[in-house]
Amino acid sequence: MRRRLLALVCVTGSLVSACGMLPGDHQERKTVTVWLMKDSASKEFLRRFTEDFERTHDDLRLDIRIQSWTGIVEKVRGALKEPSGDGPDVIEVGNTQVPLYADGGRLADLTLESMRDWGKDTWLPGLAQPGKDGNKQYGIPWYAANRVVIYRKDLFRQAGIARPPQTRDEWLTATEKLNTGGNQGIYLAGQDWYTLSGFIWDEGGELAEEKDHEWRGTLDSPAALRGMDFYRRLQALGAGPVDADEEHPPQAGVFAGGKVAQIIAVPGLTQSIVRQNPDLKDQLGFFPVPGPTAGRPGAVFTGGSDLVVPRNTDDQFAATTVVGALTGDKWDTELARTMNYVPNKTTLADAVAGAEGVAAMAAGAAHGRATPTTPQWADVEADNPIKEYMTRVLQGGDPATEARRASRRITEALAPDVG
């Protein structure tokens, strides 16, 4: 953390900070340097937050620097190795990246603040869990986004479906009705492994599990195989390619083509859909991915961001003061409303109840999950065996055989000496 005279004016990234002495100030403020990712928050939100924070904390000023996701992993790793006081004091990181940065003890342990001040018991599990290592909390949930079902209201009406399905069985029945007359009941690419993960978790399975300090792939468990079987049955009710993921081709363009009743995606994808087909503007609806039973949406992969404090900050108290303000109820709710995110706590879901797509996200996020909490999971995704496994099964391969093959590859990536 750097100290600067208040009379200086700073321009940082794409945000102009409110630097300098406030009227009546007679002391030097400490500068808290904050790295936030591009497009996570609007300039207007950051301006208002900065003004409010500096007005209520007359000993601190904010130096917010906007970062690009491209190359951010190595940049953060470098910053965590800087001498004390030379790097950022607060960093926004992807929720699943926290284990990568916590490895080696380079993040501050924020367990006490989490329990005492920040209401950790109400945090979204998909943000909170990857921020932990054992009993220590390093990543503090900021905001979330997750997949929902985007559907065509007109096609549902034509098929005689009066309301969105509440259970998996209802979902399959409705999708069968929709998969007729030249329409696809659902467009689901064969390698959408994030969606598969939710089905596996709903069945009580895992992508990988840690036992005796060693990680092993577990796609071959009976529960995980049940999740894959449901995926297979749902995917067959459309014409999604079995050997590609949802970006090849981009599913927004496929849905905009007018012959698809449903896709599984974040609600924000509707902006692209409507740009490509304005006639769909008033025909799009949202519902949470259904779970096995009514009254509880299905598990979904929860993406989003956590805030971390590097151990090499020279003022951890000031850094945690900023984290507490950004992730507190007031500003977290404001961020969610401004950016159409899910707030970081289940107790704040009502704050976005007026936005149909975000409300559907919030319902699913309450039961959200994240990928296995190990730094080596990035190695699994680099050459993802789950995608190949899914394609092989959808092409007619024996699920148990293919699951064992994929599980071995996951184990090798997570623990090379164990496979």
Side-chain angles (χ1 to χ4, degrees):
M1 189 181 304
R2 290 165 294 283
R3 300 176 182 269
R4 300 183 182 180
L5 294 176
L6 294 177
L8 294 177
V9 178
C10 301
V11 180
T12 63
S14 61
L15 177 71
V16 179
S17 290
C19 315
M21 299 288 287
L22 291 180
D25 277 356
H26 298 286
Q27 63 181 16
E28 180 184 352
R29 290 184 177 225
K30 294 180 180 179
T31 298
V32 183
T33 301
V34 183
W35 283 9
L36 299 180
M37 302 310 300
K38 185 177 184 294
D39 298 328
S40 286
S42 68
K43 291 181 181 180
E44 176 61 18
F45 171 87
L46 293 177
R47 182 191 66 77
R48 287 186 285 111
F49 172 77
T50 299
E51 289 180 353
D52 181 79
F53 182 87
E54 293 185 350
R55 183 172 59 252
T56 55
H57 300 81
D58 58 11
D59 59 334
L60 301 174
R61 65 168 292 278
L62 297 181
D63 179 6
I64 298 179
R65 303 189 175 192
I66 305 302
Q67 309 295 316
S68 170
W69 286 107
T70 303
I72 192 60
V73 171
E74 290 309 312
K75 188 170 185 178
V76 170
R77 279 175 161 170
L80 296 178
K81 297 177 182 177
E82 292 286 340
S84 180
D86 287 349
D89 304 297
V90 177
I91 307 175
E92 175 193 352
V93 301
N95 61 322
T96 61
Q97 293 177 334
V98 178
L100 196 64
Y101 301 132
D103 195 35
R106 297 189 182 276
L107 297 181
D109 178 4
L110 304 178
T111 307
L112 176 61
E113 294 87 348
S114 301
M115 298 174 64
R116 183 188 62 200
D117 305 321
W118 296 340
K120 66 174 297 184
D121 290 342
T122 59
W123 283 343
L124 296 178
L127 294 181
Q129 186 58 40
K132 290 181 63 177
D133 184 9
N135 294 322
K136 295 182 178 181
Q137 190 76 42
Y138 296 104
I140 307 305
W142 192 22
Y143 66 84
N146 50 267
R147 289 161 174 77
V148 301
V149 182
I150 302 173
Y151 73 100
R152 287 272 303 272
K153 295 179 180 179
D154 54 337
L155 296 183
F156 268 55
R157 286 193 300 269
Q158 292 170 21
I161 303 170
R163 62 174 176 81
Q166 304 295 304
T167 68
R168 276 191 187 175
D169 287 342
E170 289 183 7
W171 195 16
L172 283 175
T173 299
T175 305
E176 288 173 350
K177 291 181 179 179
L178 294 160
N179 192 44
T180 186
N183 293 323
Q184 296 184 53
I186 189 168
Y187 178 85
L188 182 58
Q191 295 183 349
D192 187 350
W193 70 278
Y194 283 127
T195 294
L196 170 65
S197 299
F199 299 158
I200 289 174
W201 294 328
D202 274 338
E203 294 290 344
E206 300 288 346
L207 304 178
E209 289 186 310
E210 185 181 25
K211 184 177 181 180
D212 298 327
H213 306 291
E214 294 178 346
W215 283 91
R216 292 181 178 273
T218 53
L219 292 177
D220 54 340
S221 72
L225 287 169
R226 290 195 299 270
M228 182 64 221
D229 185 63
F230 179 79
Y231 190 99
R232 178 189 59 78
R233 294 164 64 196
L234 184 66
Q235 198 272 342
L237 299 174
V242 300
D243 59 351
D245 62 26
E246 63 274 23
E247 292 300 322
H248 300 88
Q251 62 178 344
V254 178
F255 192 84
K259 295 292 185 180
V260 175
Q262 306 171 90
I263 57 173
I264 302 171
V266 294
L269 198 69
T270 57
Q271 297 176 16
S272 176
I273 293 168
V274 172
R275 279 198 302 269
Q276 297 177 68
N277 187 348
D279 292 340
L280 295 180
K281 181 178 180 181
D282 298 323
Q283 299 298 337
L284 301 180
F286 312 87
F287 59 88
V289 173
T293 59
R296 180 186 171 95
V300 289
F301 170 78
T302 302
S305 286
D306 285 6
L307 300 180
V308 299
V309 174
R311 283 192 64 186
N312 59 7
T313 177
D314 63 0
D315 194 334
Q316 183 173 324
F317 179 79
T320 55
T321 298
V322 176
V323 171
L326 271 172
T327 63
D329 291 1
K330 174 184 176 180
W331 287 103
D332 204 83
T333 298
E334 184 67 19
L335 179 70
R337 289 171 172 164
T338 299
M339 304 300 294
N340 289 324
Y341 294 144
V342 179
N344 61 1
K345 296 177 180 177
T346 56
T347 52
L348 299 178
D350 287 347
V352 294
E356 183 185 359
V358 183
M361 275 202 302
H367 311 289
R369 297 280 302 275
T371 49
T373 310
T374 166
Q376 283 70 46
W377 187 257
D379 296 329
V380 175
E381 293 191 26
D383 185 24
N384 199 326
I386 305 175
K387 289 186 172 185
E388 181 180 336
Y389 157 62
M390 297 171 73
T391 293
R392 287 176 178 270
V393 172
L394 295 176
Q395 289 177 335
D398 176 63
T401 300
E402 300 302 337
R404 285 193 294 271
R405 186 203 311 269
S407 294
R408 284 195 297 269
R409 288 182 56 195
I410 291 173
T411 300
E412 290 166 1
L414 295 179
D417 296 332
V418 177

